[in-house]
Amino acid sequence: AQTVTQSQPEMSVQEAETVTLSCTYDTSESDYYLFWYKQPPSRQMILVIRQEAYKQQNATENRFSVNFQKAAKSFSLKISDSQLGDAAMYFCAYHGIQGAQKLVFGQGTRLTINP
Amino acid sequence: KAGVTQTPRYLIKTRGQQVTLSCSPISGHRSVSWYQQTPGQGLQFLFEYFSETQRNKGNFPGRFSGRQFSNSRSEMNVSTLELGDSALYLCASRPGPTTVEQYFGPGTRLTVT
């Protein structure tokens, strides 16, 4: 079974600075997708960024980028120029291609932005 | 396009009762998945429906069930509620099961007393 681990329960960063959230996963599949979701206090789960495992190039969406290390099974999220609106719970998630096609989530990292 | 909608947003029930939660997917989306979110267990997959058929099921007891209607709207039912069923129940939709990106609704907060 696939597992996703986020080792940082909480992180904080000063507004306008850069922060990196860590995520590792375990799978025996060679092809899969990885996601970062953001859940603000409103509880609405919002997709931040996605990475296809077969792509070596790291995904980027505006201020959000990932560092995908397939061999190490690591998938970190970097938020540049942090803004107050970035404060939320961030979840790393795995989606396989074979078998049960569902999202497997990590435990989440609570990100606080200090003004 | 309207997003995924879930009703009700909040619900308080007593142990032993049953509850039905509703989810309307994004227009054109035919696949609906349900997830349970608790502080202790995190986000866990309950089941997925596509074209009115359950495709996948998570590791939950038979008290948790669901169904999907011909208009792709889905309901989940929990019978004989237990205190541990208190959670945020999230619904997510996607065009079909081969599409990996899922779009989540705002959730239903269920409290069991």
Side-chain angles (χ1 to χ4, degrees):
Chain A
Q2 293 80 19
T3 58
V4 177
T5 302
Q6 293 178 249
S7 58
Q8 305 153 316
E10 296 184 359
M11 292 280 287
S12 64
V13 64
Q14 290 295 126
E15 193 176 3
E17 293 190 345
T18 296
V19 64
T20 299
L21 308 184
S22 301
C23 172
T24 58
Y25 58 94
D26 189 28
T27 183
S28 58
E29 297 180 328
S30 59
D31 199 13
Y32 47 86
Y33 291 80
L34 295 165
F35 299 90
W36 280 97
Y37 279 91
K38 167 186 175 181
Q39 187 179 42
S42 67
R43 306 175 317 189
Q44 182 89 41
M45 196 77 80
I46 301 165
L47 176 63
V48 175
I49 198 166
R50 87 176 211 180
Q51 174 79 43
E52 293 88 339
Y54 64 86
K55 288 187 177 179
Q56 292 189 338
Q57 186 173 3
N58 290 322
T60 299
E61 288 287 342
N62 301 314
R63 298 182 295 108
F64 299 86
S65 61
V66 299
N67 183 3
F68 173 50
Q69 302 289 328
K70 190 173 183 180
K73 296 180 181 173
S74 169
F75 183 60
S76 61
L77 174 70
K78 185 172 83 171
I79 306 175
S80 303
D81 185 25
S82 298
Q83 300 176 0
L84 295 177
D86 295 333
M89 281 290 289
Y90 285 81
F91 292 94
C92 178
Y94 171 100
H95 189 292
I97 303 301
Q98 315 254 335
Q101 296 181 8
K102 62 182 182 181
L103 286 167
V104 177
F105 288 91
Q107 288 294 97
T109 296
R110 182 174 302 281
L111 178 64
T112 301
I113 311 295
N114 300 314
Chain B
K1 263 188 189 177
V4 178
T5 58
Q6 292 187 244
T7 56
R9 293 293 307 277
Y10 302 90
L11 207 49
I12 299 175
K13 289 286 188 179
T14 303
R15 267 183 305 176
Q17 289 186 317
Q18 76 164 12
V19 68
T20 299
L21 311 182
S22 180
C23 171
S24 292
I26 292 171
S27 177
H29 287 194
R30 297 171 60 200
S31 173
V32 173
S33 297
W34 289 89
Y35 293 83
Q36 181 197 63
Q37 185 176 18
T38 61
Q41 299 298 316
L43 281 148
Q44 294 184 288
F45 172 77
L46 280 156
F47 30 64
E48 178 182 19
Y49 285 86
F50 174 69
S51 292
E52 303 177 63
T53 302
Q54 187 180 90
R55 292 190 72 249
N56 293 305
K57 189 178 192 309
N59 189 25
F60 279 82
R63 301 185 297 108
F64 291 82
S65 63
R67 60 177 175 169
Q68 186 179 35
F69 302 94
S70 58
N71 62 357
S72 296
R73 188 177 70 86
S74 176
E75 289 181 347
M76 67 162 282
N77 183 275
V78 188
S79 62
T80 319
L81 284 165
E82 301 177 359
L83 295 178
D85 296 333
S86 295
L88 179 67
Y89 289 89
L90 292 166
C91 165
S93 78
R94 50 183 167 175
T98 58
T99 308
V100 295
E101 289 187 18
Q102 299 187 30
Y103 299 86
F104 284 82
T108 293
R109 170 75 67 186
L110 171 65
T111 301
V112 182
T113 62

